Amino acid sequence: MKRPTIGIDPGLSGGIAYIDADGNSTATKMPKTERDLIDLLLYHKTSRPVCFVEKVSAGPKMGSSAAYKFGRNCGEIAMAVVAAGLRLEYVTPQKWQRKLGLITSGRGLGQDDTAKKNRNKAKAQQLFPGIKITHATADALLIAEYGRLQQHGSE
């Protein structure tokens, strides 16, 4: 049985994407409140999706306050997924990007953050031409697509 997937790019500038069993997709920016996040996950609960969350950590360029907020947000996302009764899977950026052909060797082809965001957005636009893609939703869609491929074979 094909199960829908949810892809979550954590962080306040991240997003959440949903791909149903028929391949239809939607994506939105990360909800601003905990209540909005749990409501969004509960909305999809009846279809029994698997949630794939990017496994990331605070970076060295973050200050202590930003790192704290990022860690707290990641914890809230995990708790919301569990509270909604959904299966939670973590995936590293390297793993989903490699699976989708975004990394062929080394660390992201030596691109800076802006180039990586633009590359990922272009890939998401290629895979999901029917929906509006933003930098906030591109990675979430690609993570959801990774999850779909993992569950249904590489098609």
Side-chain angles (χ1 to χ4, degrees), residues 8-15 30 53-56 70 73-74 77 143:
I8 301 178
D9 176 16
L12 296 177
S13 63
M30 183 62 63
V53 177
E54 187 174 46
K55 183 179 183 179
V56 290
F70 181 75
N73 193 51
C74 288
I77 290 168
I143 293 165

PDB file of all heavy atoms in Angstrom, residues 8-15 30 53-56 70 73-74 77 143:
ATOM      1  N   ILE A   8       9.502  17.602   6.162  1.00  0.00           N
ATOM      2  CA  ILE A   8       9.614  18.786   7.023  1.00  0.00           C
ATOM      3  C   ILE A   8      11.052  19.291   7.019  1.00  0.00           C
ATOM      4  O   ILE A   8      11.976  18.565   7.367  1.00  0.00           O
ATOM      5  CB  ILE A   8       9.158  18.485   8.465  1.00  0.00           C
ATOM      6  CG1 ILE A   8       7.703  18.005   8.470  1.00  0.00           C
ATOM      7  CG2 ILE A   8       9.332  19.729   9.338  1.00  0.00           C
ATOM      8  CD1 ILE A   8       7.162  17.639   9.847  1.00  0.00           C
ATOM      9  N   ASP A   9      11.188  20.538   6.608  1.00  0.00           N
ATOM     10  CA  ASP A   9      12.456  21.260   6.683  1.00  0.00           C
ATOM     11  C   ASP A   9      12.353  22.129   7.929  1.00  0.00           C
ATOM     12  O   ASP A   9      11.655  23.140   7.919  1.00  0.00           O
ATOM     13  CB  ASP A   9      12.633  22.104   5.423  1.00  0.00           C
ATOM     14  CG  ASP A   9      13.876  22.972   5.460  1.00  0.00           C
ATOM     15  OD1 ASP A   9      14.772  22.732   6.301  1.00  0.00           O
ATOM     16  OD2 ASP A   9      13.954  23.913   4.650  1.00  0.00           O
ATOM     17  N   PRO A  10      12.993  21.700   9.031  1.00  0.00           N
ATOM     18  CA  PRO A  10      12.815  22.430  10.294  1.00  0.00           C
ATOM     19  C   PRO A  10      13.442  23.827  10.259  1.00  0.00           C
ATOM     20  O   PRO A  10      14.273  24.120   9.416  1.00  0.00           O
ATOM     21  CB  PRO A  10      13.513  21.541  11.313  1.00  0.00           C
ATOM     22  CG  PRO A  10      14.482  20.744  10.553  1.00  0.00           C
ATOM     23  CD  PRO A  10      13.924  20.597   9.162  1.00  0.00           C
ATOM     24  N   GLY A  11      13.027  24.615  11.160  1.00  0.00           N
ATOM     25  CA  GLY A  11      13.518  25.980  11.236  1.00  0.00           C
ATOM     26  C   GLY A  11      12.393  26.942  10.911  1.00  0.00           C
ATOM     27  O   GLY A  11      11.431  26.585  10.221  1.00  0.00           O
ATOM     28  N   LEU A  12      12.519  28.143  11.390  1.00  0.00           N
ATOM     29  CA  LEU A  12      11.462  29.131  11.184  1.00  0.00           C
ATOM     30  C   LEU A  12      11.325  29.533   9.726  1.00  0.00           C
ATOM     31  O   LEU A  12      10.270  29.959   9.288  1.00  0.00           O
ATOM     32  CB  LEU A  12      11.715  30.354  12.061  1.00  0.00           C
ATOM     33  CG  LEU A  12      11.663  30.084  13.570  1.00  0.00           C
ATOM     34  CD1 LEU A  12      12.005  31.350  14.349  1.00  0.00           C
ATOM     35  CD2 LEU A  12      10.305  29.550  13.985  1.00  0.00           C
ATOM     36  N   SER A  13      12.388  29.372   8.936  1.00  0.00           N
ATOM     37  CA  SER A  13      12.300  29.696   7.512  1.00  0.00           C
ATOM     38  C   SER A  13      12.132  28.438   6.662  1.00  0.00           C
ATOM     39  O   SER A  13      12.261  28.496   5.446  1.00  0.00           O
ATOM     40  CB  SER A  13      13.546  30.473   7.070  1.00  0.00           C
ATOM     41  OG  SER A  13      14.696  29.663   7.221  1.00  0.00           O
ATOM     42  N   GLY A  14      11.823  27.312   7.294  1.00  0.00           N
ATOM     43  CA  GLY A  14      11.608  26.054   6.590  1.00  0.00           C
ATOM     44  C   GLY A  14      10.172  25.906   6.150  1.00  0.00           C
ATOM     45  O   GLY A  14       9.416  26.871   6.086  1.00  0.00           O
ATOM     46  N   GLY A  15       9.819  24.674   5.842  1.00  0.00           N
ATOM     47  CA  GLY A  15       8.463  24.434   5.374  1.00  0.00           C
ATOM     48  C   GLY A  15       8.028  23.008   5.609  1.00  0.00           C
ATOM     49  O   GLY A  15       8.786  22.168   6.097  1.00  0.00           O
ATOM     50  N   MET A  30       6.708  26.956   7.218  1.00  0.00           N
ATOM     51  CA  MET A  30       6.574  26.423   8.567  1.00  0.00           C
ATOM     52  C   MET A  30       5.547  27.251   9.331  1.00  0.00           C
ATOM     53  O   MET A  30       5.613  28.481   9.334  1.00  0.00           O
ATOM     54  CB  MET A  30       7.928  26.489   9.287  1.00  0.00           C
ATOM     55  CG  MET A  30       7.918  25.896  10.676  1.00  0.00           C
ATOM     56  SD  MET A  30       7.531  24.140  10.732  1.00  0.00           S
ATOM     57  CE  MET A  30       8.883  23.448   9.826  1.00  0.00           C
ATOM     58  N   VAL A  53      11.645  14.072   8.535  1.00  0.00           N
ATOM     59  CA  VAL A  53      12.146  15.341   9.053  1.00  0.00           C
ATOM     60  C   VAL A  53      13.648  15.391   8.807  1.00  0.00           C
ATOM     61  O   VAL A  53      14.359  14.429   9.089  1.00  0.00           O
ATOM     62  CB  VAL A  53      11.851  15.483  10.563  1.00  0.00           C
ATOM     63  CG1 VAL A  53      12.429  16.777  11.112  1.00  0.00           C
ATOM     64  CG2 VAL A  53      10.350  15.418  10.823  1.00  0.00           C
ATOM     65  N   GLU A  54      14.102  16.517   8.279  1.00  0.00           N
ATOM     66  CA  GLU A  54      15.529  16.672   8.038  1.00  0.00           C
ATOM     67  C   GLU A  54      16.278  16.672   9.369  1.00  0.00           C
ATOM     68  O   GLU A  54      15.927  17.415  10.287  1.00  0.00           O
ATOM     69  CB  GLU A  54      15.800  17.964   7.267  1.00  0.00           C
ATOM     70  CG  GLU A  54      17.230  18.106   6.831  1.00  0.00           C
ATOM     71  CD  GLU A  54      17.448  19.322   5.957  1.00  0.00           C
ATOM     72  OE1 GLU A  54      16.959  20.412   6.308  1.00  0.00           O
ATOM     73  OE2 GLU A  54      18.110  19.171   4.921  1.00  0.00           O
ATOM     74  N   LYS A  55      17.289  15.832   9.454  1.00  0.00           N
ATOM     75  CA  LYS A  55      18.093  15.714  10.668  1.00  0.00           C
ATOM     76  C   LYS A  55      19.259  16.694  10.567  1.00  0.00           C
ATOM     77  O   LYS A  55      20.255  16.427   9.893  1.00  0.00           O
ATOM     78  CB  LYS A  55      18.621  14.292  10.825  1.00  0.00           C
ATOM     79  CG  LYS A  55      19.389  14.075  12.094  1.00  0.00           C
ATOM     80  CD  LYS A  55      19.856  12.640  12.207  1.00  0.00           C
ATOM     81  CE  LYS A  55      20.567  12.437  13.526  1.00  0.00           C
ATOM     82  NZ  LYS A  55      21.005  11.038  13.655  1.00  0.00           N
ATOM     83  N   VAL A  56      19.086  17.825  11.203  1.00  0.00           N
ATOM     84  CA  VAL A  56      20.089  18.880  11.159  1.00  0.00           C
ATOM     85  C   VAL A  56      20.377  19.350  12.576  1.00  0.00           C
ATOM     86  O   VAL A  56      19.629  19.070  13.508  1.00  0.00           O
ATOM     87  CB  VAL A  56      19.627  20.074  10.294  1.00  0.00           C
ATOM     88  CG1 VAL A  56      19.602  19.703   8.830  1.00  0.00           C
ATOM     89  CG2 VAL A  56      18.269  20.576  10.722  1.00  0.00           C
ATOM     90  N   PHE A  70      16.546  27.373  17.286  1.00  0.00           N
ATOM     91  CA  PHE A  70      16.524  26.328  16.276  1.00  0.00           C
ATOM     92  C   PHE A  70      16.319  24.956  16.939  1.00  0.00           C
ATOM     93  O   PHE A  70      15.485  24.164  16.500  1.00  0.00           O
ATOM     94  CB  PHE A  70      17.827  26.335  15.467  1.00  0.00           C
ATOM     95  CG  PHE A  70      17.861  25.291  14.400  1.00  0.00           C
ATOM     96  CD1 PHE A  70      17.133  25.446  13.237  1.00  0.00           C
ATOM     97  CD2 PHE A  70      18.616  24.141  14.559  1.00  0.00           C
ATOM     98  CE1 PHE A  70      17.149  24.480  12.246  1.00  0.00           C
ATOM     99  CE2 PHE A  70      18.639  23.170  13.578  1.00  0.00           C
ATOM    100  CZ  PHE A  70      17.911  23.335  12.418  1.00  0.00           C
ATOM    101  N   ASN A  73      12.769  24.621  18.167  1.00  0.00           N
ATOM    102  CA  ASN A  73      11.858  24.402  17.052  1.00  0.00           C
ATOM    103  C   ASN A  73      11.926  22.950  16.574  1.00  0.00           C
ATOM    104  O   ASN A  73      10.898  22.330  16.303  1.00  0.00           O
ATOM    105  CB  ASN A  73      12.169  25.367  15.906  1.00  0.00           C
ATOM    106  CG  ASN A  73      11.071  25.397  14.877  1.00  0.00           C
ATOM    107  OD1 ASN A  73       9.910  25.578  15.216  1.00  0.00           O
ATOM    108  ND2 ASN A  73      11.431  25.224  13.625  1.00  0.00           N
ATOM    109  N   CYS A  74      13.124  22.393  16.479  1.00  0.00           N
ATOM    110  CA  CYS A  74      13.277  20.994  16.056  1.00  0.00           C
ATOM    111  C   CYS A  74      12.589  20.055  17.049  1.00  0.00           C
ATOM    112  O   CYS A  74      11.918  19.099  16.647  1.00  0.00           O
ATOM    113  CB  CYS A  74      14.757  20.632  15.922  1.00  0.00           C
ATOM    114  SG  CYS A  74      15.561  21.394  14.504  1.00  0.00           S
ATOM    115  N   ILE A  77       8.799  20.266  16.600  1.00  0.00           N
ATOM    116  CA  ILE A  77       8.365  19.538  15.404  1.00  0.00           C
ATOM    117  C   ILE A  77       8.266  18.046  15.714  1.00  0.00           C
ATOM    118  O   ILE A  77       7.252  17.403  15.413  1.00  0.00           O
ATOM    119  CB  ILE A  77       9.311  19.796  14.219  1.00  0.00           C
ATOM    120  CG1 ILE A  77       9.144  21.237  13.721  1.00  0.00           C
ATOM    121  CG2 ILE A  77       9.072  18.792  13.091  1.00  0.00           C
ATOM    122  CD1 ILE A  77      10.222  21.692  12.764  1.00  0.00           C
ATOM    123  N   ILE A 143      12.333  16.681   0.483  1.00  0.00           N
ATOM    124  CA  ILE A 143      12.393  15.691   1.573  1.00  0.00           C
ATOM    125  C   ILE A 143      11.192  14.754   1.486  1.00  0.00           C
ATOM    126  O   ILE A 143      11.320  13.535   1.649  1.00  0.00           O
ATOM    127  CB  ILE A 143      12.471  16.400   2.944  1.00  0.00           C
ATOM    128  CG1 ILE A 143      13.810  17.139   3.076  1.00  0.00           C
ATOM    129  CG2 ILE A 143      12.290  15.401   4.088  1.00  0.00           C
ATOM    130  CD1 ILE A 143      13.852  18.157   4.199  1.00  0.00           C
TER     131      ILE A 143
END
